[in-house]
Amino acid sequence: MNNKLNIDWDDFLTNYWQKKPVILRQAFSHFLDPITPDELAGLAMEEEIESRIVTNKNGKWEAKFGPFDDFSHLDEEHWSLLVQAVDHWHEQAAALVQPFKCIPQWQFEDLMISYATQGAGVGPHIDNYDVFIIQGMGCRRWQVGDRNSNYRQFSAHKALLHVEDYHPIIDEQITSGDILYIPIGFPHNGISIGESLSYSVGFRTQTSQEMLSGFADYIIDNLPKGIFYQDPNLKLPEDPYRVQPYELTKLQNQIIDLIKTPELFNDWFGKHITLPMHELNIVTVEPPYEYEEFKSILQTGAQLSRVPSIRILKIGDFGYIHGEKINLPMSVIDMLCQNEILGYEHLQSEETQQVLLNFVNKGYWYFIDES
Ligand code: SIN
Ligand code: CO
């Protein structure tokens, strides 16, 4: 069951991406929900899967975090269940993100799925990511306002940041197969009309703050020796109490030079950006496979599957996975990126087999159980 996405990507990127919200009617024609509300509730019972239930009965907002072991106390209306990173745990749901793999994958965050009852939603809010909200079963009314940095935000509940009233530039109902795209920063509010499911494919970029802090940690770990400011051409200044403009420029450049050193910045970014944003379904192999054993399993025709949504990316001449560098030639890294399933035919050289053995033992790939 594969849903086919019809988007004119050139037109979408030119006119909407990170510019303005849009409804793409029937972007999936004949959309089939890849998951049922019961299955979603099952995922919300798992310890390692992030989930929450938001209620808004009689205008009173509440949020509770999973795992949940009982849903029987919930009313017929005004509550929704939201489950994060379902692409890590549910194969059919994960297939929904496939058509979005043409967008730079370093920006992909996760697939969040929400089941909502009549009148439910999470309230008017602003997200710090770009999102494609695919409407599945049922129907929701969405009101989206314009981007404006002056909106007042407030806590409707300690876990729910809402935004004050805004004038909607979109106020429409969407039904199965429609997509609402909302760029970062646009206030929005979705209210379920009857029971509904929606699928949010989220893309998150990086803030300067997190990059500076992450890169600084990397520099401290990798360049433990201090790099000192030096000015051998110093002339006595008129005012020794004033830091001179040229000195400030030199100080800035001292930091910028580090940022502009590809061996440092690229390596940091590759490791940083492939760290998981949500828990992954990784199980380490105990006891670990030995090389000969691993090779002979592959030779019998067994196949390896990459852990769903583990982050694998290329930067310059190197590949990165799950926060570590992959020490293999780029042609092999290209192959690892492109193929989620591997067989012996993909892993011909001993070097590749040894690297994959290590990754399989760490749980990044696992043998598909044919039984
Ligand atoms: C939802 O699916 O209920 C909320 C999605 C959102 O507004 O970001
Ligand atoms: Co939102």
Side-chain angles (χ1 to χ4, degrees), residues 80-258:
S80 58
L81 167 68
L82 302 99
V83 184
Q84 220 61 55
V86 179
D87 53 309
H88 297 194
W89 307 98
H90 190 282
E91 209 180 306
Q92 289 82 13
L96 257 194
V97 305
Q98 286 291 344
F100 298 91
K101 292 223 165 156
C102 54
I103 296 177
Q105 286 300 288
W106 67 267
Q107 298 184 26
F108 173 67
E109 180 170 358
D110 74 331
L111 172 73
M112 187 279 283
I113 305 184
S114 78
Y115 163 77
T117 56
Q118 166 61 28
V122 297
H125 65 280
I126 297 175
D127 289 318
N128 53 10
Y129 49 83
D130 296 81
V131 64
F132 295 86
I133 302 178
I134 304 161
Q135 183 60 45
M137 170 188 102
C139 173
R140 283 189 200 183
R141 175 183 175 189
W142 285 95
Q143 292 177 302
V144 187
D146 214 344
R147 184 150 48 190
N148 178 340
S149 52
N150 296 323
Y151 287 124
R152 192 178 71 83
Q153 296 184 69
F154 60 95
S155 294
H157 172 272
K158 61 180 183 310
L160 288 172
L161 188 63
H162 280 179
V163 61
E164 66 179 340
D165 284 351
Y166 54 84
H167 172 73
I169 53 173
I170 288 179
D171 185 352
E172 294 191 40
Q173 291 184 18
I174 60 172
T175 58
S176 184
D178 293 342
I179 291 181
L180 167 63
Y181 165 72
I182 309 173
I184 185 170
F186 285 73
H188 54 279
N189 187 21
I191 299 169
S192 190
I193 300 168
E195 267 184 289
S196 69
L197 276 171
S198 77
Y199 304 84
S200 297
V201 182
F203 288 84
R204 185 186 295 272
T205 58
Q206 295 286 301
T207 63
S208 305
Q209 290 87 334
E210 64 191 318
M211 285 197 285
L212 268 181
S213 131
F215 187 60
D217 288 344
Y218 175 91
I219 289 297
I220 290 162
D221 290 346
N222 289 276
L223 296 180
K225 258 181 100 190
I227 303 168
F228 290 94
Y229 172 92
Q230 302 263 279
D231 186 5
N233 300 322
L234 182 69
K235 306 268 180 303
L236 289 187
E238 255 172 50
D239 178 356
Y241 288 92
R242 174 170 293 282
V243 183
Q244 299 181 69
Y246 93 86
E247 291 175 310
L248 290 168
T249 305
K250 263 174 78 68
L251 287 162
Q252 287 169 351
N253 286 340
Q254 186 172 333
I255 302 173
I256 291 168
D257 284 349
L258 286 179

